Each structure stands twice: as structure tokens, then as C-alpha cells.
Amino acid sequence: MKIDGTHYRTIWVGEDGWSVRVIDQTRLPHRFEIIRLAGLDDAAAAIRTMRVRGAPLIGATAAYGLALAMREDASESGLDRAHDLLLATRPTAVNLRWALSDMRERLGRTPANQRVEAAYGRAAAIADEDVAMNEAIGGHGLALLRDAAQRKNDASPVNILTHCNAGWLATVDWGTALAPIYKAHDEGLPIHVWVDETRPRNQGASLTAWELGRHGVPHTVIVDNVGGHLMQHGMVDLCIVGTDRTTARGDVCNKIGTYLKALAAADNRVPFYVALPGPSVDWTIEDGIRDVPIEQRDASEVSEISGLTSEGALISVKVTPQGSAAANYAFDVTPARLVTGLITERGVCPASRAGLASLYPQHA
Ligand code: MRU
């Protein structure tokens, strides 16, 4: 996507031909800073500290992390060590495991002296495939938005509610949930996006709002508890969210708070869609509530909030009393029965084993 007229992806190889560049998402929306990853430890730290985040981008960063690792030690044990270090950075997004398994499997059958070149080649392909899948998701989701526009009796915008950031910043480009929104906006369909702030880290307020604003998409930031009220008053036509891991039967794990939006949507008969590329499906599990590992992050993300002062300084302030405990569950699981449909790069399907198997028969 473009920032001030320049096209950016969220990850790329620098002019030196080997070090990796990413946008530091912990500084947005107030600072646009590009950082350089010069080795395995840099890549692992960028994922762990959420300088890069969003399931598909975590996967792509891990792939480049393995490429950087191969420059340091391309032996069998070096490959295993790098794989294990990167896999431990964040537990929930299955794209991390997918990208690392894919890379390790290919590099395992490549002679050690060719592994650096092979690793960069495959990491670049993973990034390119992500862009292509997200653009295809955008096309399939666009058809749903056109239908929603047609169902309205007037020329008022289609109101879409989204949670967290499943835009281009969460992927290599385009985004998943936001890809149909960008496509719709670009073809002149009137749309408006309700952006959940997404406490505790505010990926909606800081990242989704920034992305949409840069692209000129009309949007309004709301606190996380507003969605139900809007739905009761007919102010949401559909919800589209992303996912960090969707199980083989269509249970959807996504940023904490997604489940409550799905409940409100079901109660108000608002369609609730989940946009995802194939690598976000975990074919090894069925029951998302039982089997998806839910990341628990530092309590300080709940007890403190960061922002920009009127003097232009980026600071954190404490919002809870000294001594109050805080719990920080980063994801929740929305059961498949609350999901209207899955928007994938291969088309839209029901959130069910049969639905997913119809699009991905190799996993049936
Ligand atoms: O903790 P984060 O910011 O990595 O969580 C991101 C999300 O929950 C996104 O909705 C999800 O990864 C889908 S990204 C296209």
C-alpha cells in the first residue's frame, strides 16, 4: 500500500541484499520508522516485542529470520536452533509454525552450502504468496460488500465493523479483513468502517485507523464496548475480522474481544465474516476452545496505556491503582456456529469442516 505516494510492503530485503527491513509497528501511528533486522536474534526480538505483528506478517518475518540465521550457521543444528527460537516467540498465530515448518523442510533437503540462497528465495516466495492470497481475499470479499450495498435501499455507505488490525500492516500487503474494504473503496462503493480500538494494545485505534486514514477510507474509532449498541440500532451491516488460527472445523481464534462481537452480531442477525489465507488454518485441531494455545502477555499492557503528549512525546501512563492485579489474555475463540462465512483466497465457504474441505480438498 502507499504511504505519502510511496509503495511499501511491511517487510523487504534492504539494498545490501541481505538484511531485512520492517516497519516498527510499536511506534505507529505517531512515528513512521523503519528498522533493520541484521540477524536471527533481531528477527526473533521483532516478533516477540510486536514491532511486527499480525499472523501472516509474523510468518513472513520468521521465514526471513531463518534466512538471516542461515548466514550465521547453516548447519543442521543451526537450522534446528533457529527454528526453535523463532517458534517460541509467540504461541497463537499458526502462520508462524506453518512458515517455519515449510522453511525447515525445504532447507533440510538442501545442501548446507546452498541454504542461504535457498532460504532467501523461499522467504521471498512466502511474502509474494501472502500478497497474492490477500488480494484474492479482497476480490471475494468485495462481492459480499457489493451485495450489502445492493441490499440497502438508499445510497448510504455500507457500515463494516472490524476488530484489531487485519489490514496490510498485519500481512505483507493488502491485509485480510481490510483487503475487501480497500477494493470496495477503490472502485467507488460507499463504505464506512467502525474501528474497534482493541485494548489493551490498541491495534485498531493506532494501526487500523492509521492505515484506513492513509488510504482515504471513511472510518470512526470506537471503544471496544460500543459494537453491540451499534448493531442493536442497525448501524452495522456486516462485521469482517481476521484470525490467528482457524481450526479444521471452522472455530476462529482472533484478538481478544472478537467472540463478544460475534455474540452481539448473532443476536442482531448481523453477518459475521472472517477473512483468512490458507496458512491461517490449523488442520491438526478441531476444537478451538480446547486446543488453541492462548497467549498471555505482560500485565503492564493492561495497567498502562501509551500515547502522544501535546508536546509530541511518546509516553506510557498508568491507568490502574497500585496493587491491583491485571490479566492479559491476548486472544479468544469464536465457535464456528457464530461465523457466517470464511473469506479465503479460494472463495467464501461456511465455517465448518465440510466448508473448508470443499476449498482445500487436499486436507479433507
Ligand atoms: O497480537 P496481534 O496484533 O499480532 O494480533 C493480530 C490479530 O489478532 C489479527 O486480527 C490477526 O492476526 C489477523 S491478521 C491478518
Side-chain angles (χ1 to χ4, degrees):
M1 303 301 275
K2 283 191 173 152
I3 301 170
D4 300 331
T6 305
H7 179 262
Y8 283 91
R9 284 184 172 188
T10 52
I11 187 163
W12 65 97
V13 175
E15 281 173 7
D16 57 17
W18 65 270
S19 65
V20 175
R21 303 290 191 276
V22 293
I23 299 165
D24 184 350
Q25 300 194 22
T26 62
R27 308 287 281 173
L28 288 171
H30 307 298
R31 310 261 194 274
F32 181 75
E33 290 175 6
I34 291 164
I35 49 172
R36 181 171 183 265
L37 310 180
L40 169 64
D41 290 341
D42 286 355
I47 299 171
R48 201 180 300 114
T49 59
M50 293 180 65
R51 289 171 140 197
V52 293
R53 31 68 52 202
L57 179 57
I58 290 170
T61 307
Y64 275 114
L66 265 193
L68 290 166
M70 291 302 92
R71 296 181 79 248
E72 296 163 0
D73 179 0
S75 68
E76 215 61 47
S77 61
L79 180 56
D80 286 346
R81 193 183 81 80
H83 173 279
D84 295 352
L85 181 85
L86 288 161
L87 189 62
T89 50
R90 291 196 72 191
T92 301
V94 74
N95 311 59
L96 176 65
R97 187 185 76 195
W98 172 84
L100 288 170
S101 302
D102 178 295
M103 294 282 292
R104 179 157 75 174
E105 198 263 312
R106 285 165 199 262
L107 296 176
R109 22 184 182 87
T110 307
N113 64 355
Q114 294 169 25
R115 281 185 183 157
V116 172
E117 196 186 341
Y120 276 95
R122 182 57 192 149
I126 285 176
D128 288 346
E129 285 165 16
D130 183 62
V131 178
M133 285 189 285
N134 297 331
E135 187 169 7
I137 288 169
H140 296 300
L142 172 62
L144 296 172
L145 295 182
R146 285 195 193 122
D147 289 350
Q150 248 174 10
R151 279 197 300 275
K152 292 178 89 93
N153 295 326
D154 51 24
S156 65
V158 176
N159 283 300
I160 306 140
L161 183 140
T162 193
H163 192 70
C164 194
N165 172 260
W168 72 268
L169 287 168
T171 65
V172 179
D173 207 347
W174 280 101
T176 56
L178 296 196
I181 288 168
Y182 289 126
K183 291 245 176 208
H185 177 76
D186 290 351
E187 78 164 25
L189 207 69
I191 53 168
H192 166 261
V193 185
W194 296 111
V195 179
D196 282 351
E197 63 174 348
T198 320
R199 274 283 279 153
R201 290 184 67 98
N202 288 325
Q203 289 96 327
S206 55
L207 304 178
T208 300
W210 182 78
E211 274 194 51
L212 293 173
R214 289 289 162 141
H215 201 80
V217 179
H219 64 280
T220 306
V221 179
I222 49 177
V223 298
D224 290 325
N225 298 324
V226 173
H229 168 79
L230 295 177
M231 292 185 215
Q232 285 175 328
H233 290 268
M235 295 164 77
V236 180
D237 294 302
L238 74 164
C239 304
I240 312 182
V241 302
T243 176
D244 294 83
R245 188 184 298 229
T246 287
T247 71
R249 74 176 188 197
D251 290 346
V252 170
C253 179
N254 192 46
K255 182 53 56 189
I256 192 78
T258 302
Y259 170 49
L260 294 179
K261 291 300 139 64
L263 283 173
D267 193 42
N268 291 281
R269 288 177 293 283
V270 172
F272 189 91
Y273 287 99
V274 178
L276 72 160
S280 297
V281 183
D282 184 346
W283 299 99
T284 69
I285 57 173
E286 296 272 342
D287 183 338
I289 295 169
R290 196 188 59 194
D291 292 334
V292 177
I294 300 295
E295 178 176 17
Q296 290 188 55
R297 296 185 59 83
D298 199 280
S300 63
E301 293 181 353
V302 175
S303 60
E304 294 170 20
I305 194 160
S306 51
L308 191 71
T309 66
S310 48
E311 287 78 38
L314 285 177
I315 59 158
S316 274
V317 293
K318 194 156 166 63
V319 289
T320 56
Q322 279 301 344
S324 288
N328 190 2
Y329 295 90
F331 298 94
D332 61 24
V333 174
T334 299
R337 67 186 150 77
L338 296 176
V339 177
T340 308
L342 302 173
I343 310 170
T344 80
E345 75 279 9
R346 296 189 180 186
V348 182
C349 71
S352 64
R353 173 164 267 291
L356 278 166
S358 71
L359 296 183
Y360 301 93
Q362 73 272 31
H363 294 287

